[in-house]
Amino acid sequence: MILRLKLLSLMFLVLSTSGMAYSKPGDLPQDEFERRREIFISELRELNACAIIHSAPEQMRNHDVEYPYRQDSDFFYLTGWSPKHAILVLTPKSGSHDTIEAIFFAPERDIKREVWTGPEKIFTDAMLLPGIDLAFSYDDFFDHLGKLVKGYERLVVSYGNDSQFEEACIRSLAKSYERPPITQEATSLLKAHRMIKSDWEIQALEHAIKITGESLEAAFKKIPTLNFEYEVQAEIEYGFKKRGAQRLGFPSIVGAGKNSCYLHYTGSQGALTPGDIILMDVGAEWDYYSADISRSVPTSGKFSAEQALIYQLVLDAQSAAIATVKPGASFRKPHHTAVQVLTEGLVKLGLLSGEPEELIKEKKYRKFFMHGTSHWLGLDVHDAGGRYDASGTPYILKAGMVLTVEPGIYISQADDVDPKWWNIGIRIEDDVLVTEKGHRVLSASIPKTIAQIEAVMQP
Ligand code: GLY
Ligand code: MN
């Protein structure tokens, strides 16, 4: 089955607006996705390449039970399409305007399945995506594949981590004599686009961060009355759901006492003992964009003397690191700055001994600060890009990039220090947009100083 509806798509584009982006979740500005495809198509044209981008697979959890489905981020980036079993094929042409360059494959209507699932999006809905030239049934993909990729020098592909589709695709292409001689991962090209956020992406991130901040603050108030980590986690995640977040950006990390010292603690059964720190590293996802915020607060509502010293040191390191975020700075600058401040502070507190410069050279700070300070943030909580560009040098920050700044200190019982420091795990994480002139902390309104946290937690 085939449908061609350029005119209809055009009408849709005229009628739809991206203005009221956040009246409800899932209100996606389709023209944004069309623009992304157009930019990617131009890049493919330069490479004499076509592209196949596949949706994420559905994953079985156990018998008859699937994991909740989430679309692959690259696929979503180019389509805004959430349902499974979908393929975007881009076939750049030069010359005439009346060309077929964006082809969508999605399921046909299955009335028997809809008895279980309710109405589902099908390939005729894909025609309404502006800029989609043709729509076919997903089941017909391999009948078209040979023709679609014929004559290109390069095939740019993202299988969406669907190994079954990948194998079928490779098998099918192997039979074709005219397949492109070069194959390249789409992710390596798309990351350059995904690293610079549009105004709409920044709005989506801000909304995810707002939900996360409000939910955290509501949980802070309740923590002194709660007894277990899972209760704190429930308060935060209830706040996300109540505020319309579609899902978590990543599994919540909520650890109290000794559990605050496990960087990605996965439990939730620990007790909240008055006098402990509880570390929360959480993020709501809104329209596929994830927040990533860490706050560490005293379970009783008041920091002990030792906790306050460590907290203030991490906060000073974070403030100094955030201050370095601006266009032209290295992606590694916030980390190096945080390491410098933390190491000097740890020496002052007697937790490390020696010359800070020497301790940094020998990476002795890693005893208490054993992770990086930043990662990109966007559709994925650890968003596309990595630390280094193609030449192996750290990325240079540019306006539109969004990164986390999240130094920490973790002192566990295994550490050979005065026991008064034990079980203090502090991480403070904010989400920072690089602007033309410097930066903007997107999560600036979430309580962070000792005074702010203690004020919020007062009964
Ligand atoms: N939010 C978890 C992390 O950044 O690794
Ligand atoms: Mn993070």
Side-chain angles (χ1 to χ4, degrees):
M1 252 197 251
I2 167 170
L3 282 156
R4 181 170 180 185
L5 274 187
K6 264 205 160 160
L7 194 64
L8 220 161
S9 317
L10 202 67
M11 280 166 57
F12 179 82
L13 187 61
V14 171
L15 292 173
S16 71
T17 62
S18 56
M20 295 161 28
Y22 291 120
S23 51
K24 62 184 168 64
D27 216 356
L28 302 172
Q30 291 300 338
D31 50 335
E32 164 114 4
F33 296 98
E34 181 184 23
R35 208 162 37 242
R36 293 175 185 178
R37 284 193 296 273
E38 279 173 356
I39 293 168
F40 192 43
I41 286 170
S42 312
E43 190 176 4
L44 294 170
R45 191 176 291 117
E46 295 289 307
L47 295 167
N48 189 13
C50 59
I52 297 172
I53 315 289
H54 193 271
S55 55
E58 59 185 336
Q59 308 267 15
M60 294 312 287
R61 197 192 78 149
N62 54 338
H63 190 59
D64 284 348
V65 182
E66 291 163 19
Y67 281 106
Y69 186 75
R70 183 192 186 273
Q71 190 54 275
D72 174 75
S73 294
D74 279 339
F75 190 83
F76 184 84
Y77 181 79
L78 289 171
T79 63
W81 181 268
S82 295
K84 53 199 164 195
H85 301 311
I87 310 167
L88 174 70
V89 181
L90 300 173
T91 54
K93 309 270 189 319
S94 36
S96 151
H97 282 296
D98 188 26
T99 50
I100 307 296
E101 295 190 317
I103 302 146
F104 211 93
F105 292 82
E108 289 182 49
R109 182 140 193 233
D110 182 340
I111 292 169
K112 281 193 195 143
R113 196 173 55 227
E114 287 187 5
V115 170
W116 296 88
T117 60
E120 293 184 309
K121 273 201 190 172
I122 56 172
F123 80 108
T124 49
D125 296 306
M127 295 169 343
L128 296 178
L129 302 176
I132 294 296
D133 301 314
L134 287 175
F136 294 100
S137 165
Y138 181 86
D139 292 339
D140 293 343
F141 174 73
F142 288 107
D143 297 338
H144 294 275
L145 176 60
K147 269 183 285 170
L148 290 172
V149 302
K150 185 175 159 186
Y152 289 95
E153 202 177 318
R154 192 180 291 253
L155 171 62
V156 170
V157 67
S158 165
Y159 297 112
N161 288 315
D162 188 323
S163 51
Q164 234 177 317
F165 174 74
E166 179 174 354
E167 280 163 30
C169 210
I170 290 169
R171 251 198 327 272
S172 175
L173 285 169
K175 286 190 230 142
S176 160
Y177 291 111
E178 289 172 296
R179 66 182 181 272
I182 305 168
T183 303
Q184 179 177 354
E185 284 280 324
T187 305
S188 60
L189 293 176
L190 286 173
K191 72 179 178 189
H193 305 291
R194 286 181 52 187
M195 285 171 80
I196 306 288
K197 271 64 183 180
S198 68
D199 290 348
W200 178 74
E201 288 181 290
I202 293 163
Q203 277 182 54
L205 279 166
E206 282 179 316
H207 201 80
I209 291 164
K210 180 174 187 285
I211 290 173
T212 306
E214 289 175 0
S215 305
L216 268 171
E217 194 169 336
F220 290 177
K221 293 183 202 294
K222 289 211 168 162
I223 284 172
T225 68
L226 303 177
N227 297 309
F228 293 96
E229 292 163 346
Y230 59 77
E231 292 179 88
V232 179
Q233 183 176 344
E235 289 295 338
I236 296 168
E237 294 180 4
Y238 163 71
F240 291 179
K241 274 276 174 221
K242 193 173 71 164
R243 291 173 174 85
Q246 291 94 337
R247 59 185 83 77
L248 305 179
F250 56 94
S252 301
I253 299 162
V254 179
K258 67 176 173 20
N259 298 332
S260 68
C261 298
Y262 302 123
L263 303 181
H264 278 186
Y265 172 64
T266 55
S268 62
Q269 303 298 312
L272 308 193
T273 306
D276 279 349
I277 283 288
I278 179 162
L279 187 156
M280 294 152 282
D281 181 343
V282 296
E285 191 178 287
W286 177 269
D287 280 349
Y288 279 80
Y289 287 81
S290 179
D292 188 9
I293 304 292
S294 299
R295 290 289 185 269
S296 311
V297 307
T299 53
S300 63
K302 189 130 187 59
F303 287 92
S304 72
E306 286 75 23
Q307 289 167 354
L309 286 167
I310 299 296
Y311 191 92
Q312 192 58 48
L313 175 54
V314 176
L315 187 55
D316 291 346
Q318 199 221 22
S319 306
I322 289 174
T324 68
V325 174
K326 60 179 180 206
S330 163
F331 172 76
R332 298 293 280 161
K333 183 77 178 161
H335 180 65
H336 293 141
T337 305
V339 163
Q340 182 79 36
V341 176
L342 290 176
T343 307
E344 286 169 5
L346 287 164
V347 170
K348 278 196 196 126
L349 293 174
L351 285 158
L352 286 178
S353 51
E355 280 303 313
E357 290 317 308
E358 209 46 45
L359 293 167
I360 290 170
K361 224 184 277 167
E362 292 171 10
K363 300 195 188 305
K364 295 284 194 218
Y365 59 86
R366 285 198 177 167
K367 180 174 174 186
F368 302 113
F369 176 38
M370 51 297 259
H371 58 79
T373 299
S374 298
H375 55 78
W376 307 116
L377 186 68
L379 286 169
D380 295 316
V381 61
H382 289 191
D383 207 32
R387 287 179 188 169
Y388 303 100
D389 66 15
S391 71
T393 42
Y395 279 105
I396 297 299
L397 299 180
K398 290 187 194 148
M401 291 175 161
V402 179
L403 65 158
T404 65
V405 181
E406 50 177 310
I409 290 183
Y410 313 88
I411 312 173
S412 70
Q413 290 192 25
D415 288 320
D416 180 20
V417 296
D418 186 328
K420 71 179 182 179
W421 300 111
W422 284 352
N423 300 331
I424 300 179
I426 305 281
R427 178 159 65 250
I428 308 174
E429 174 175 27
D430 282 290
D431 302 336
V432 183
L433 167 70
V434 185
T435 60
E436 295 291 345
K437 293 206 171 117
H439 64 263
R440 183 155 62 87
V441 180
L442 301 177
S443 44
S445 67
I446 307 172
K448 183 163 70 164
T449 64
I450 289 176
Q452 284 169 343
I453 288 170
E454 289 187 344
V456 167
M457 295 183 80
Q458 284 317 299

